[in-house]
């Protein structure tokens, strides 16, 4: 059975997306792989982030439930007062690296947050998930205040 919606891929499969049509709102799911900074051949990490941002601006519609998942090969800094609740205190990193700054900017630009960083996890779960794999989703202002 085919689920009604749209789908696509960008940048040779480094970015894939699907829109699932819902009764009350659509779900826009985007998956991305960002190459490490040490990559010597294109596509480079900054090109992938530029394409991701362009894609989100192009396909996102008002009212979409946006879920952005991926291996960003970067470190999101632990949430601190004034971080607008985008990243929680349970990320393994105290400071962001350069590849961690771009996802943070995306979260601010598209009103997303990294929910798995708001809950403690075991060391085994961290090893399985990895330090640079994050899920980001859109939440209302009221939901963010409740966190």
């Amino acid at each position: 059975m085919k689920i009604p919606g749209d789908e696509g891929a960008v940048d040779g499969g480094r970015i894939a997306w699907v829109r699932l049509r819902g009764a009350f709102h659509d779900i826009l799911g985007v998956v991305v792989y960002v190459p490490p900074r040490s990559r010597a051949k294109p596509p480079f990490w900054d090109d992938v982030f530029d394409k991701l941002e362009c894609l989100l601006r192009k396909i996102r519609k008002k009212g979409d439930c946006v879920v952005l998942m991926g291996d960003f090969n970067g470190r999101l800094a632990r949430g601190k007062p004034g971080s607008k609740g985008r990243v929680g205190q349970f990320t393994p990193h105290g400071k962001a690296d350069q590849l961690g700054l771009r996802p943070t900017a995306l979260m601010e630009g598209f009103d997303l947050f990294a929910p798995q960083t708001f809950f403690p996890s075991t060391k085994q779960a961290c090893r399985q998930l990895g330090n640079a794999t994050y899920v980001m989703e859109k939440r209302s202002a009221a939901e963010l205040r409740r966190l």
Side-chain angles (χ1 to χ4, degrees):
M1 177 176 105
K2 178 145 172 61
I3 298 173
D6 302 319
E7 58 189 55
V10 178
D11 197 29
R14 292 192 185 277
I15 304 171
W17 63 274
V18 63
R19 177 184 307 282
L20 303 174
R21 306 230 189 265
F24 301 104
H25 57 80
D26 293 349
I27 299 171
L28 177 61
V30 182
V31 180
V32 62
Y33 170 74
V34 177
R37 285 186 62 203
S38 60
R39 185 173 174 91
K41 295 180 182 179
F44 299 110
W45 67 273
D46 52 345
D47 297 330
V48 174
F49 272 117
D50 290 344
K51 289 177 183 176
L52 175 61
E53 187 172 353
C54 183
L55 175 73
L56 285 171
R57 290 193 192 291
K58 182 178 177 182
I59 65 173
R60 185 183 61 143
K61 296 178 182 174
K62 185 175 180 165
D64 276 351
C65 175
V66 179
V67 180
L68 173 60
M69 301 168 276
D71 184 348
F72 295 93
N73 275 308
R75 297 176 175 186
L76 293 178
R78 196 168 293 121
K80 295 181 175 45
S83 65
K84 300 181 183 175
R86 306 274 175 219
V87 181
Q89 64 179 347
F90 295 106
T91 184
H93 312 291
K95 294 183 180 179
D97 61 3
Q98 190 172 7
L99 282 172
L101 296 176
R102 287 296 297 264
T104 303
L106 276 175
M107 286 190 284
E108 290 176 7
F110 292 97
D111 200 21
L112 304 171
F113 82 110
Q116 76 274 22
T117 64
F118 287 87
F119 306 98
S121 62
T122 64
K123 288 183 180 182
Q124 180 182 6
C126 283
R127 282 194 301 271
Q128 290 172 347
L129 184 61
N131 289 339
T133 304
Y134 296 98
V135 175
M136 299 167 195
E137 62 183 40
K138 183 167 175 57
R139 291 288 175 108
S140 70
E143 289 174 308
L144 288 174
R145 281 193 296 275
R146 284 193 298 259
L147 293 174

